[in-house]
Amino acid sequence: MVTSKKLVTVFVVCIVIISSCVYVSMADGESNAEKFEEAYKSATTDYIACYNDCQKECSGGYTHCEMKCDEDCTAKLLKERIEKMKM
């Protein structure tokens, strides 16, 4: 009888620990999703501004300008992000 009580107690403790770990990991996942959404909005805004400025200055035809501006703005934004990470 004593052994079965200990077994049930250990089982209940394990369930509580596992459920709390799952709850914490789910809460952390939500904050990561929010962080990702904020970073995405920031990057999108920066990219659009860069792309529009580049398109205004470009005079090599639509397809050429589209490809050139896309590559230039992507490289510029990635370089800025990497520099921020280094600091």
Side-chain angles (χ1 to χ4, degrees), residues 2-3 9-10 12 18 21-22 25 28 31 33-34 36 39 44 50-51 56-57 59-60 76-77 80 85:
V2 174
T3 306
T9 304
V10 168
V12 169
I18 290 172
C21 290
V22 169
S25 67
D28 187 41
S31 66
E34 291 171 359
F36 175 78
T44 303
C50 176
Y51 186 84
K56 289 176 187 174
E57 297 171 4
S59 62
K76 177 183 171 186
L77 293 174
E80 289 174 1
M85 290 172 56

PDB file of all heavy atoms in Angstrom, residues 2-3 9-10 12 18 21-22 25 28 31 33-34 36 39 44 50-51 56-57 59-60 76-77 80 85:
ATOM      1  N   VAL A   2       1.918   1.250   0.809  1.00  0.00           N
ATOM      2  CA  VAL A   2       2.811   2.401   0.901  1.00  0.00           C
ATOM      3  C   VAL A   2       3.524   2.613  -0.434  1.00  0.00           C
ATOM      4  O   VAL A   2       3.682   3.748  -0.880  1.00  0.00           O
ATOM      5  CB  VAL A   2       3.830   2.194   2.045  1.00  0.00           C
ATOM      6  CG1 VAL A   2       4.850   3.313   2.060  1.00  0.00           C
ATOM      7  CG2 VAL A   2       3.123   2.093   3.380  1.00  0.00           C
ATOM      8  N   THR A   3       3.915   1.566  -1.086  1.00  0.00           N
ATOM      9  CA  THR A   3       4.600   1.664  -2.366  1.00  0.00           C
ATOM     10  C   THR A   3       3.685   2.254  -3.435  1.00  0.00           C
ATOM     11  O   THR A   3       4.115   3.081  -4.237  1.00  0.00           O
ATOM     12  CB  THR A   3       5.087   0.269  -2.817  1.00  0.00           C
ATOM     13  OG1 THR A   3       5.873  -0.311  -1.792  1.00  0.00           O
ATOM     14  CG2 THR A   3       5.927   0.383  -4.068  1.00  0.00           C
ATOM     15  N   THR A   9       2.221   9.352  -6.043  1.00  0.00           N
ATOM     16  CA  THR A   9       2.772  10.673  -5.734  1.00  0.00           C
ATOM     17  C   THR A   9       3.825  11.078  -6.756  1.00  0.00           C
ATOM     18  O   THR A   9       3.831  12.216  -7.251  1.00  0.00           O
ATOM     19  CB  THR A   9       3.381  10.679  -4.316  1.00  0.00           C
ATOM     20  OG1 THR A   9       2.394  10.268  -3.375  1.00  0.00           O
ATOM     21  CG2 THR A   9       3.905  12.048  -3.951  1.00  0.00           C
ATOM     22  N   VAL A  10       4.716  10.165  -7.082  1.00  0.00           N
ATOM     23  CA  VAL A  10       5.751  10.440  -8.077  1.00  0.00           C
ATOM     24  C   VAL A  10       5.100  10.728  -9.438  1.00  0.00           C
ATOM     25  O   VAL A  10       5.507  11.648 -10.160  1.00  0.00           O
ATOM     26  CB  VAL A  10       6.746   9.259  -8.170  1.00  0.00           C
ATOM     27  CG1 VAL A  10       7.652   9.396  -9.381  1.00  0.00           C
ATOM     28  CG2 VAL A  10       7.562   9.153  -6.904  1.00  0.00           C
ATOM     29  N   VAL A  12       2.082  11.947 -10.039  1.00  0.00           N
ATOM     30  CA  VAL A  12       1.433  13.259  -9.999  1.00  0.00           C
ATOM     31  C   VAL A  12       2.472  14.374 -10.076  1.00  0.00           C
ATOM     32  O   VAL A  12       2.291  15.368 -10.795  1.00  0.00           O
ATOM     33  CB  VAL A  12       0.560  13.399  -8.725  1.00  0.00           C
ATOM     34  CG1 VAL A  12       0.096  14.827  -8.538  1.00  0.00           C
ATOM     35  CG2 VAL A  12      -0.618  12.447  -8.775  1.00  0.00           C
ATOM     36  N   ILE A  18       5.909  18.313 -15.929  1.00  0.00           N
ATOM     37  CA  ILE A  18       5.822  18.305 -17.389  1.00  0.00           C
ATOM     38  C   ILE A  18       4.837  19.362 -17.883  1.00  0.00           C
ATOM     39  O   ILE A  18       5.105  20.093 -18.834  1.00  0.00           O
ATOM     40  CB  ILE A  18       5.441  16.904 -17.900  1.00  0.00           C
ATOM     41  CG1 ILE A  18       6.613  15.947 -17.669  1.00  0.00           C
ATOM     42  CG2 ILE A  18       5.063  16.943 -19.382  1.00  0.00           C
ATOM     43  CD1 ILE A  18       6.286  14.503 -17.948  1.00  0.00           C
ATOM     44  N   CYS A  21       6.394  22.773 -17.643  1.00  0.00           N
ATOM     45  CA  CYS A  21       7.398  22.971 -18.690  1.00  0.00           C
ATOM     46  C   CYS A  21       6.736  23.282 -20.024  1.00  0.00           C
ATOM     47  O   CYS A  21       7.188  24.154 -20.767  1.00  0.00           O
ATOM     48  CB  CYS A  21       8.278  21.739 -18.832  1.00  0.00           C
ATOM     49  SG  CYS A  21       9.382  21.477 -17.444  1.00  0.00           S
ATOM     50  N   VAL A  22       5.667  22.578 -20.343  1.00  0.00           N
ATOM     51  CA  VAL A  22       4.950  22.824 -21.590  1.00  0.00           C
ATOM     52  C   VAL A  22       4.347  24.215 -21.578  1.00  0.00           C
ATOM     53  O   VAL A  22       4.413  24.946 -22.570  1.00  0.00           O
ATOM     54  CB  VAL A  22       3.866  21.745 -21.818  1.00  0.00           C
ATOM     55  CG1 VAL A  22       2.948  22.127 -22.961  1.00  0.00           C
ATOM     56  CG2 VAL A  22       4.501  20.396 -22.070  1.00  0.00           C
ATOM     57  N   SER A  25       7.122  26.766 -22.134  1.00  0.00           N
ATOM     58  CA  SER A  25       7.616  26.770 -23.508  1.00  0.00           C
ATOM     59  C   SER A  25       6.599  27.383 -24.457  1.00  0.00           C
ATOM     60  O   SER A  25       6.957  28.053 -25.424  1.00  0.00           O
ATOM     61  CB  SER A  25       7.984  25.368 -23.968  1.00  0.00           C
ATOM     62  OG  SER A  25       6.841  24.564 -24.066  1.00  0.00           O
ATOM     63  N   ASP A  28       6.835  31.163 -24.037  1.00  0.00           N
ATOM     64  CA  ASP A  28       8.034  31.662 -24.688  1.00  0.00           C
ATOM     65  C   ASP A  28       7.831  31.709 -26.198  1.00  0.00           C
ATOM     66  O   ASP A  28       8.290  32.622 -26.857  1.00  0.00           O
ATOM     67  CB  ASP A  28       9.225  30.777 -24.332  1.00  0.00           C
ATOM     68  CG  ASP A  28      10.525  31.342 -24.849  1.00  0.00           C
ATOM     69  OD1 ASP A  28      10.712  32.569 -24.769  1.00  0.00           O
ATOM     70  OD2 ASP A  28      11.351  30.565 -25.356  1.00  0.00           O
ATOM     71  N   SER A  31       6.019  34.880 -27.264  1.00  0.00           N
ATOM     72  CA  SER A  31       6.847  36.081 -27.267  1.00  0.00           C
ATOM     73  C   SER A  31       7.799  36.074 -28.457  1.00  0.00           C
ATOM     74  O   SER A  31       8.088  37.120 -29.021  1.00  0.00           O
ATOM     75  CB  SER A  31       7.623  36.211 -25.957  1.00  0.00           C
ATOM     76  OG  SER A  31       8.568  35.180 -25.823  1.00  0.00           O
ATOM     77  N   ALA A  33       7.086  34.790 -31.356  1.00  0.00           N
ATOM     78  CA  ALA A  33       6.251  35.151 -32.503  1.00  0.00           C
ATOM     79  C   ALA A  33       6.048  36.658 -32.556  1.00  0.00           C
ATOM     80  O   ALA A  33       6.089  37.258 -33.637  1.00  0.00           O
ATOM     81  CB  ALA A  33       4.914  34.423 -32.425  1.00  0.00           C
ATOM     82  N   GLU A  34       5.843  37.264 -31.411  1.00  0.00           N
ATOM     83  CA  GLU A  34       5.680  38.723 -31.370  1.00  0.00           C
ATOM     84  C   GLU A  34       6.974  39.425 -31.774  1.00  0.00           C
ATOM     85  O   GLU A  34       6.949  40.409 -32.516  1.00  0.00           O
ATOM     86  CB  GLU A  34       5.254  39.157 -29.979  1.00  0.00           C
ATOM     87  CG  GLU A  34       3.852  38.723 -29.600  1.00  0.00           C
ATOM     88  CD  GLU A  34       3.532  38.974 -28.137  1.00  0.00           C
ATOM     89  OE1 GLU A  34       4.414  39.471 -27.412  1.00  0.00           O
ATOM     90  OE2 GLU A  34       2.404  38.661 -27.734  1.00  0.00           O
ATOM     91  N   PHE A  36       9.279  38.225 -33.736  1.00  0.00           N
ATOM     92  CA  PHE A  36       9.450  38.012 -35.166  1.00  0.00           C
ATOM     93  C   PHE A  36       8.576  38.980 -35.959  1.00  0.00           C
ATOM     94  O   PHE A  36       9.017  39.567 -36.950  1.00  0.00           O
ATOM     95  CB  PHE A  36       9.097  36.566 -35.543  1.00  0.00           C
ATOM     96  CG  PHE A  36       9.130  36.312 -37.012  1.00  0.00           C
ATOM     97  CD1 PHE A  36      10.326  36.137 -37.673  1.00  0.00           C
ATOM     98  CD2 PHE A  36       7.954  36.271 -37.741  1.00  0.00           C
ATOM     99  CE1 PHE A  36      10.362  35.920 -39.036  1.00  0.00           C
ATOM    100  CE2 PHE A  36       7.969  36.053 -39.105  1.00  0.00           C
ATOM    101  CZ  PHE A  36       9.182  35.870 -39.752  1.00  0.00           C
ATOM    102  N   ALA A  39      10.109  42.457 -35.870  1.00  0.00           N
ATOM    103  CA  ALA A  39      11.306  42.512 -36.710  1.00  0.00           C
ATOM    104  C   ALA A  39      10.929  42.500 -38.191  1.00  0.00           C
ATOM    105  O   ALA A  39      11.531  43.208 -39.001  1.00  0.00           O
ATOM    106  CB  ALA A  39      12.228  41.344 -36.395  1.00  0.00           C
ATOM    107  N   THR A  44      10.528  45.156 -43.313  1.00  0.00           N
ATOM    108  CA  THR A  44       9.700  45.452 -44.476  1.00  0.00           C
ATOM    109  C   THR A  44       9.638  46.951 -44.737  1.00  0.00           C
ATOM    110  O   THR A  44       9.769  47.401 -45.878  1.00  0.00           O
ATOM    111  CB  THR A  44       8.273  44.907 -44.269  1.00  0.00           C
ATOM    112  OG1 THR A  44       8.360  43.509 -44.008  1.00  0.00           O
ATOM    113  CG2 THR A  44       7.410  45.128 -45.476  1.00  0.00           C
ATOM    114  N   CYS A  50      13.869  51.814 -49.082  1.00  0.00           N
ATOM    115  CA  CYS A  50      15.082  51.698 -49.888  1.00  0.00           C
ATOM    116  C   CYS A  50      14.735  51.391 -51.343  1.00  0.00           C
ATOM    117  O   CYS A  50      15.266  52.004 -52.272  1.00  0.00           O
ATOM    118  CB  CYS A  50      15.982  50.604 -49.315  1.00  0.00           C
ATOM    119  SG  CYS A  50      17.465  50.270 -50.298  1.00  0.00           S
ATOM    120  N   TYR A  51      13.834  50.456 -51.536  1.00  0.00           N
ATOM    121  CA  TYR A  51      13.447  50.028 -52.882  1.00  0.00           C
ATOM    122  C   TYR A  51      12.799  51.171 -53.655  1.00  0.00           C
ATOM    123  O   TYR A  51      13.118  51.395 -54.832  1.00  0.00           O
ATOM    124  CB  TYR A  51      12.496  48.840 -52.790  1.00  0.00           C
ATOM    125  CG  TYR A  51      12.144  48.229 -54.122  1.00  0.00           C
ATOM    126  CD1 TYR A  51      12.985  47.297 -54.718  1.00  0.00           C
ATOM    127  CD2 TYR A  51      10.970  48.576 -54.789  1.00  0.00           C
ATOM    128  CE1 TYR A  51      12.681  46.739 -55.939  1.00  0.00           C
ATOM    129  CE2 TYR A  51      10.653  48.021 -56.006  1.00  0.00           C
ATOM    130  CZ  TYR A  51      11.501  47.097 -56.577  1.00  0.00           C
ATOM    131  OH  TYR A  51      11.194  46.549 -57.794  1.00  0.00           O
ATOM    132  N   LYS A  56      13.227  55.243 -58.061  1.00  0.00           N
ATOM    133  CA  LYS A  56      13.125  56.617 -58.563  1.00  0.00           C
ATOM    134  C   LYS A  56      14.406  57.039 -59.278  1.00  0.00           C
ATOM    135  O   LYS A  56      14.374  57.771 -60.267  1.00  0.00           O
ATOM    136  CB  LYS A  56      12.848  57.575 -57.405  1.00  0.00           C
ATOM    137  CG  LYS A  56      11.459  57.461 -56.828  1.00  0.00           C
ATOM    138  CD  LYS A  56      11.293  58.378 -55.634  1.00  0.00           C
ATOM    139  CE  LYS A  56       9.963  58.152 -54.942  1.00  0.00           C
ATOM    140  NZ  LYS A  56       9.847  58.942 -53.704  1.00  0.00           N
ATOM    141  N   GLU A  57      15.558  56.576 -58.771  1.00  0.00           N
ATOM    142  CA  GLU A  57      16.844  56.982 -59.318  1.00  0.00           C
ATOM    143  C   GLU A  57      17.278  56.133 -60.509  1.00  0.00           C
ATOM    144  O   GLU A  57      18.128  56.546 -61.287  1.00  0.00           O
ATOM    145  CB  GLU A  57      17.912  56.915 -58.232  1.00  0.00           C
ATOM    146  CG  GLU A  57      17.671  57.870 -57.090  1.00  0.00           C
ATOM    147  CD  GLU A  57      18.623  57.645 -55.925  1.00  0.00           C
ATOM    148  OE1 GLU A  57      19.529  56.791 -56.037  1.00  0.00           O
ATOM    149  OE2 GLU A  57      18.464  58.330 -54.905  1.00  0.00           O
ATOM    150  N   SER A  59      17.370  54.164 -64.095  1.00  0.00           N
ATOM    151  CA  SER A  59      16.893  54.481 -65.446  1.00  0.00           C
ATOM    152  C   SER A  59      17.284  53.402 -66.450  1.00  0.00           C
ATOM    153  O   SER A  59      17.540  53.690 -67.601  1.00  0.00           O
ATOM    154  CB  SER A  59      17.463  55.830 -65.885  1.00  0.00           C
ATOM    155  OG  SER A  59      18.878  55.751 -65.932  1.00  0.00           O
ATOM    156  N   GLY A  60      17.321  52.154 -66.012  1.00  0.00           N
ATOM    157  CA  GLY A  60      17.771  51.095 -66.909  1.00  0.00           C
ATOM    158  C   GLY A  60      16.672  50.170 -67.379  1.00  0.00           C
ATOM    159  O   GLY A  60      16.943  49.061 -67.818  1.00  0.00           O
ATOM    160  N   LYS A  76      22.096  45.823 -48.556  1.00  0.00           N
ATOM    161  CA  LYS A  76      22.263  46.952 -47.635  1.00  0.00           C
ATOM    162  C   LYS A  76      21.630  46.648 -46.277  1.00  0.00           C
ATOM    163  O   LYS A  76      22.246  46.855 -45.224  1.00  0.00           O
ATOM    164  CB  LYS A  76      21.632  48.200 -48.233  1.00  0.00           C
ATOM    165  CG  LYS A  76      21.678  49.415 -47.341  1.00  0.00           C
ATOM    166  CD  LYS A  76      20.955  50.589 -47.981  1.00  0.00           C
ATOM    167  CE  LYS A  76      20.823  51.724 -46.995  1.00  0.00           C
ATOM    168  NZ  LYS A  76      20.008  52.820 -47.527  1.00  0.00           N
ATOM    169  N   LEU A  77      20.404  46.127 -46.292  1.00  0.00           N
ATOM    170  CA  LEU A  77      19.716  45.830 -45.035  1.00  0.00           C
ATOM    171  C   LEU A  77      20.379  44.695 -44.267  1.00  0.00           C
ATOM    172  O   LEU A  77      20.499  44.752 -43.040  1.00  0.00           O
ATOM    173  CB  LEU A  77      18.247  45.514 -45.305  1.00  0.00           C
ATOM    174  CG  LEU A  77      17.421  46.690 -45.813  1.00  0.00           C
ATOM    175  CD1 LEU A  77      16.020  46.225 -46.184  1.00  0.00           C
ATOM    176  CD2 LEU A  77      17.349  47.791 -44.776  1.00  0.00           C
ATOM    177  N   GLU A  80      23.471  46.089 -42.597  1.00  0.00           N
ATOM    178  CA  GLU A  80      23.124  46.877 -41.411  1.00  0.00           C
ATOM    179  C   GLU A  80      22.764  45.989 -40.231  1.00  0.00           C
ATOM    180  O   GLU A  80      23.173  46.246 -39.097  1.00  0.00           O
ATOM    181  CB  GLU A  80      21.963  47.816 -41.725  1.00  0.00           C
ATOM    182  CG  GLU A  80      22.319  48.957 -42.643  1.00  0.00           C
ATOM    183  CD  GLU A  80      21.105  49.788 -43.039  1.00  0.00           C
ATOM    184  OE1 GLU A  80      19.982  49.485 -42.574  1.00  0.00           O
ATOM    185  OE2 GLU A  80      21.289  50.736 -43.826  1.00  0.00           O
ATOM    186  N   MET A  85      24.333  43.432 -34.979  1.00  0.00           N
ATOM    187  CA  MET A  85      24.556  42.227 -34.181  1.00  0.00           C
ATOM    188  C   MET A  85      25.965  42.185 -33.620  1.00  0.00           C
ATOM    189  O   MET A  85      26.195  41.648 -32.538  1.00  0.00           O
ATOM    190  CB  MET A  85      24.281  40.978 -35.022  1.00  0.00           C
ATOM    191  CG  MET A  85      22.815  40.782 -35.332  1.00  0.00           C
ATOM    192  SD  MET A  85      22.460  39.458 -36.502  1.00  0.00           S
ATOM    193  CE  MET A  85      23.238  38.072 -35.726  1.00  0.00           C
TER     194      MET A  85
END
